[in-house]
Amino acid sequence: MEFITESFHNKRLKEFNINIKTKYKVKDRVLERNTDNSINDDIIDGVRLEKKYYKDGFLIYKVSNFDPRIHYTYLFNSEENKEVLCPNCGKISTVKEFVNGCPYCHTYYNIDYINKELGTKEHLDNIIHSEKYNKITFIVDLIISFIIVFMYILLNGRTFNIYDVSKIIVGGLVLGFFLYYIFYVLDALILLLPIKIYKNKRNRRQIEFWNNALKNNISKKTFFNNFNYELQRYYYLDNNDVIDYDIIDYLDFDLSTKEDLFITVTVNIRIIKYINNKIVKKVENKKFTLKRDKTFVNKLNGGINIIKCHNCGASIDVNRENCEYCKTKINYLQEWYLED
Ligand SMILES: [Zn+2]
Ligand SMILES: [Zn+2]
């Protein structure tokens, strides 16, 4: 089933014969969505766990570090077998059969999820003192302590005997724990405090931004969805080798309210390209500016949409650039769009 939301991406993947299997964690279940439509579970407020890239059926790449603060929703399966009435000819069909347009009168339908979230950042930054980091500190600290105690005994002892070995072990452990405590406290001060101050500042800016956005009637969900749709146009419509992207984090938002509304968003983005039979991964910091369209009329609803050409009134497929009948350029369907 081809959804408006994914049509650009799917077209690109078809060109390369690449299928992406994505695993999601939803509450305590692991669900899956594949771009070749073999499995498409409904996802509600899910977190991405991993993505596997298959070329001609063979696994060629895997990505697994996803931010648990970025959430995804794709809801449709309950709709598939619902019966709907074609508003044009009055015939009844199931949603599934309507996907490629009304089978009777060939009216175009534009299908979208009844609910979707294409990567909403739900939570702000907080820093975690990672367990792995503590373990490494502890091991390095123990080794250093044993060396210090060993050197001390070697330099001060007249002879080296078996009692000295136990002295080294006991002394090394005592010194180790003592130093570890100092390292831990120092580390928290030297390393973590500046990060904490920086992240707090960033959090405050993001909280401020969304408070301000609310005053200007900006919906968080709409913005994130529109932004991701625009990114798909940006990456998959042009002639390049991008086969996938993931926002690793939204670093900063900026709202400008003169005349028109503009949002500038800074993201950390992972771009996956397929060049010369090889996957090429690149992580970039990028800035995008989106403008709010005051005049946008073609609001897309969840489920089935019939969209008429504003010039001749024919039903249109929004994934095409122009109306099939009169060739008029299709009007924008987003509230927010990328500034060129
Ligand atoms: Zn019809
Ligand atoms: Zn037309």
Side-chain angles (χ1 to χ4, degrees):
M1 193 164 302
E2 179 112 320
F3 295 96
I4 301 167
T5 306
E6 280 146 11
S7 64
F8 297 119
H9 194 194
N10 283 346
K11 230 169 263 166
R12 172 58 49 85
L13 292 171
K14 254 179 221 151
E15 277 169 39
F16 288 95
N17 200 23
I18 286 175
N19 174 30
I20 307 174
K21 294 187 180 185
T22 310
K23 291 243 167 78
Y24 291 85
K25 191 166 188 287
V26 181
K27 294 204 176 92
D28 42 13
R29 293 176 65 203
V30 175
L31 300 171
E32 189 175 324
R33 292 184 66 82
N34 298 337
T35 57
D36 69 355
N37 274 324
S38 50
I39 301 175
N40 271 339
D41 291 325
D42 273 347
I43 307 289
I44 301 169
D45 219 17
V47 168
R48 280 185 179 161
L49 294 176
E50 64 162 33
K51 274 187 172 183
K52 281 182 173 167
Y53 297 78
Y54 291 84
K55 160 92 177 157
D56 305 323
F58 293 99
L59 178 67
I60 51 166
Y61 200 66
K62 196 178 141 182
V63 179
S64 59
N65 50 327
F66 290 94
D67 193 324
R69 295 166 304 165
I70 296 176
H71 290 198
Y72 297 84
T73 295
Y74 300 95
L75 205 62
F76 196 80
N77 290 349
S78 57
E79 292 293 290
E80 235 175 36
N81 295 311
K82 257 190 199 162
E83 290 193 322
V84 273
L85 184 86
C86 172
N88 187 43
C89 70
K91 291 260 169 50
I92 290 170
S93 213
T94 62
V95 171
K96 221 195 258 174
E97 290 168 305
F98 264 135
V99 169
N100 298 315
C102 170
Y104 307 101
C105 71
H106 302 292
T107 296
Y108 278 117
Y109 292 100
N110 296 281
I111 316 257
D112 207 0
Y113 295 100
I114 31 173
N115 195 1
K116 67 178 175 195
E117 266 181 289
L118 310 174
T120 307
K121 186 176 177 183
E122 296 286 2
H123 305 285
L124 296 170
D125 291 314
N126 46 31
I127 42 163
I128 311 145
H129 206 145
S130 94
E131 219 172 277
K132 192 176 156 198
Y133 177 82
N134 285 346
K135 268 182 204 155
I136 293 168
T137 311
F138 184 63
I139 290 165
V140 171
D141 160 65
L142 263 189
I143 294 168
I144 293 172
S145 303
F146 279 120
I147 293 172
I148 291 173
V149 175
F150 176 71
M151 293 302 285
Y152 178 79
I153 290 172
L154 204 67
L155 291 172
N156 293 287
R158 292 166 306 274
T159 49
F160 191 79
N161 58 40
I162 189 74
Y163 299 110
D164 291 322
V165 175
S166 54
K167 272 189 204 159
I168 291 170
I169 293 171
V170 174
L173 280 175
V174 171
L175 188 67
F177 281 110
F178 176 68
L179 284 181
Y180 181 70
Y181 180 73
I182 292 176
F183 278 158
Y184 192 85
V185 173
L186 276 183
D187 188 57
L189 273 173
I190 296 165
L191 211 76
L192 292 177
L193 200 66
I195 297 176
K196 209 172 164 183
I197 290 169
Y198 170 73
K199 292 223 164 167
N200 275 343
K201 205 170 132 196
R202 220 165 74 178
N203 282 351
R204 260 203 312 277
R205 271 183 64 86
Q206 294 199 11
I207 292 167
E208 233 166 69
F209 169 84
W210 286 113
N211 284 343
N212 236 329
L214 212 66
K215 279 184 215 147
N216 286 290
N217 285 321
I218 296 167
S219 137
K220 195 172 186 174
K221 194 169 144 189
T222 306
F223 176 76
F224 278 113
N225 281 348
N226 285 183
F227 176 52
N228 274 284
Y229 183 76
E230 286 292 280
L231 282 185
Q232 296 194 28
R233 288 178 68 96
Y234 179 80
Y235 284 117
Y236 307 136
L237 211 58
D238 283 337
N239 211 359
N240 56 35
D241 306 301
V242 179
I243 54 155
D244 197 25
Y245 75 83
D246 269 294
I247 305 262
I248 298 174
D249 195 10
Y250 294 88
L251 303 175
D252 200 17
F253 298 92
D254 206 40
L255 179 68
S256 144
T257 52
K258 8 171 177 129
E259 273 178 66
D260 288 299
L261 281 184
F262 291 94
I263 291 178
T264 302
V265 49
T266 312
V267 292
N268 196 218
I269 190 167
R270 175 174 49 231
I271 293 151
I272 310 275
K273 290 185 177 190
Y274 193 74
I275 307 168
N276 298 329
N277 299 317
K278 260 214 272 326
I279 291 270
V280 178
K281 181 188 88 170
K282 216 165 111 194
V283 176
E284 290 178 349
N285 261 35
K286 270 183 98 98
K287 236 179 208 174
F288 293 98
T289 298
L290 289 102
K291 185 180 175 185
R292 171 138 87 173
D293 184 356
K294 284 185 285 197
T295 58
F296 94 108
V297 273
N298 289 323
K299 200 170 179 192
L300 282 178
N301 301 310
I304 287 184
N305 289 275
I306 294 184
I307 293 161
K308 295 211 157 121
C309 167
H310 62 278
N311 184 40
C312 73
S315 68
I316 51 175
D317 176 354
V318 294
N319 294 319
R320 297 184 189 196
E321 292 281 281
N322 305 300
C323 166
E324 209 189 335
Y325 297 95
C326 70
K327 310 290 175 222
T328 303
K329 196 168 183 328
I330 290 169
N331 257 9
Y332 242 90
L333 298 148
Q334 300 262 93
E335 189 173 344
W336 293 95
Y337 59 93
L338 270 185
E339 279 275 282
D340 298 317

